[in-house]
Amino acid sequence: MKRFRRLRTSEPMRRLVRETKISAEEMIYPIFVIEGENIKNPIDSMPGIYQYSLDRMDEILKETAESGVSGILIFGIPAHKDEYGSQAYAPDGITQRAVRQIKRDYPDLLVVADVCLCEYTSHGHCGLVEEGKILNDETLPLLAKMSVSLAEAGADIIAPSDMMDGRVAAIRQALDENGFPDVPIMAYSAKFASAYYGPFREAAHSAPCFGDRRSYQMDYHNKKEALREIEDDIAEGADIVMVKPALAYLDVVQAASERFDLPLAVYNVSGEYAMVKAAAQNGWIDEKRIVMENLTAMKRAGAGILITYHALDAAKWLKEQ
Ligand code: PBG
Ligand code: ZN
């Protein structure tokens, strides 16, 4: 009889043979900034997550910098929205100002800037809209402009989440031509049209006011197509690729990690976080153990970078171990 249990007899023994370990260093923590003063707005569907005005943002930045996580993913919520999302690429837009402030105060914290128009457009879609259609090619110059303006503000990584075709190439070219050849692109390559983004849209005020995102985000029935999306983003110049959401898509994560050699990120999204928090608050699950199990599963499936709202808690729990 094979005695598998020999290597499970004690915690030191189990640790010795552990195949997958997670660490704070590979985590990125999303942060929401909003215009105004003295604001720390709780997001009802995401307990523990807030929108901060610039003057209160330091509360969360300090904690993040001390936690050991490598970086933050920044989402800005502008006071003014219009058809063209002009605050997305305004030099003094809320996100640009936030990035400048973070890099001034915490130069060692990596700032990943989400690039998409939906928080900035009056219609809430990720691209320009004409007669109810989301335009692809016309949106690309705006995404490129937004990327350059965030790089100018000091963003360390540009992360397009819009799912327009050709945006990685357009952004790469614009960054190169404007003096940012060394700023990497983390592409939301396999981003599925998902009900798991529900709580985020409350947090970022970015719900589309008509229709949905299924004409640009991926159909969740498709895995091979996800690999083609990733392959194409790599060909267009992505430095890091992403699968999003995480937990219901670990098969895609695994396939992508086997096929491609680039760093692979997963985004453990708002709805995944909300489910864990809700069950934990009811006393139905052990939050810490569930979070560690989930994050480890993402890593085991092949992800090297974990974008998660649990990052600060996980970092704390990892230190206690
Ligand atoms: C914007 C964007 C979204 C998320 C990240 N960037 C929402 C969407 O596509 O509707 C989702 C993040 C989350 O749910 O935590 N395009
Ligand atoms: Zn968007």
Side-chain angles (χ1 to χ4, degrees):
M1 184 172 37
K2 180 78 186 104
R3 293 199 180 272
F4 290 102
R5 294 181 55 187
R6 271 182 211 128
L7 297 179
R8 294 175 197 156
T9 48
S10 69
E11 185 57 16
M13 188 73 87
R14 290 190 290 269
R15 250 189 235 145
L16 178 72
V17 298
R18 202 151 278 170
E19 297 173 33
T20 310
K21 291 177 188 176
I22 58 171
S23 70
E25 279 176 356
E26 61 215 6
M27 294 182 198
I28 292 176
Y29 183 60
I31 290 182
F32 300 96
V33 293
I34 190 163
E35 272 177 275
E37 270 165 41
N38 195 23
I39 299 171
K40 183 181 174 184
N41 270 342
I43 314 299
D44 288 342
S45 53
M46 301 176 71
I49 304 294
Y50 302 82
Q51 299 161 334
Y52 295 90
S53 53
L54 294 181
D55 57 341
R56 302 261 323 249
M57 188 173 57
D58 196 63
E59 295 172 25
I60 193 68
L61 290 177
K62 189 165 185 295
E63 195 184 333
T64 306
E66 285 166 2
S67 72
V69 310
S70 285
I72 61 145
L73 175 61
I74 186 94
F75 294 98
I77 306 150
H80 167 76
K81 300 186 189 227
D82 59 32
E83 242 181 296
Y84 309 102
S86 47
Q87 284 302 304
Y89 36 91
D92 61 346
I94 178 68
T95 316
Q96 285 79 359
R97 278 183 285 147
V99 171
R100 264 185 239 118
Q101 182 178 324
I102 300 164
K103 290 313 292 184
R104 182 195 68 198
D105 297 342
Y106 300 92
D108 293 337
L109 198 57
L110 287 175
V111 174
V112 186
D114 185 271
V115 165
C116 194
L117 297 184
C118 57
E119 294 114 78
Y120 306 88
T121 50
S122 41
H123 44 72
H125 275 289
C126 303
L128 291 175
V129 171
E130 201 177 84
E131 288 168 9
K133 287 220 164 65
I134 290 75
L135 304 178
N136 193 89
D137 299 13
E138 292 78 355
T139 300
L140 301 182
L142 300 186
L143 298 169
K145 206 170 158 181
M146 181 179 184
S147 302
V148 170
S149 96
L150 290 164
E152 274 164 356
D156 297 291
I157 299 177
I158 297 297
S161 69
D162 53 281
M163 287 302 276
M164 299 299 126
D165 290 321
R167 88 267 208 223
V168 173
I171 291 170
R172 185 68 271 158
Q173 189 185 349
L175 289 172
D176 290 350
E177 286 174 1
N178 287 278
F180 301 104
D182 293 331
V183 173
I185 296 174
M186 177 195 283
Y188 288 68
S189 303
K191 176 173 177 181
F192 292 87
S194 170
Y196 283 105
Y197 308 151
F200 173 92
R201 292 179 190 168
E202 178 199 339
H205 300 170
S206 68
C209 70
F210 69 89
D212 55 45
R213 303 210 200 289
R214 282 182 292 176
S215 76
Y216 42 107
Q217 298 180 349
M218 280 194 59
D219 183 339
Y220 61 71
H221 304 81
N222 302 347
K223 177 154 86 175
K224 290 180 179 151
E225 186 188 350
L227 298 175
R228 291 206 304 276
E229 282 273 11
I230 296 171
E231 188 173 36
D232 190 60
D233 279 358
I234 295 171
E236 288 185 30
D239 301 280
I240 301 171
V241 291
M242 191 198 299
V243 173
K244 174 187 177 194
L247 289 172
Y249 296 85
L250 293 185
D251 57 328
V252 180
V253 174
Q254 166 134 29
S257 82
E258 285 168 1
R259 175 97 56 109
F260 306 107
D261 295 331
L262 270 72
L264 176 63
V266 283
Y267 197 146
N268 176 214
V269 300
S270 57
E272 301 176 299
Y273 176 83
M275 293 195 302
V276 169
K277 293 301 265 191
Q281 285 184 345
N282 272 295
W284 295 338
I285 56 170
D286 179 330
E287 180 176 356
K288 175 178 164 179
R289 289 180 53 210
I290 290 271
V291 167
M292 294 316 225
E293 190 171 331
N294 282 351
L295 295 176
T296 303
M298 294 168 210
K299 181 101 187 272
R300 195 184 59 229
I305 300 171
L306 311 176
I307 304 173
T308 177
Y309 302 96
H310 297 292
L312 301 190
D313 289 333
K316 191 179 67 198
W317 294 327
L318 285 165
K319 275 180 201 162
E320 287 167 4
Q321 270 178 9

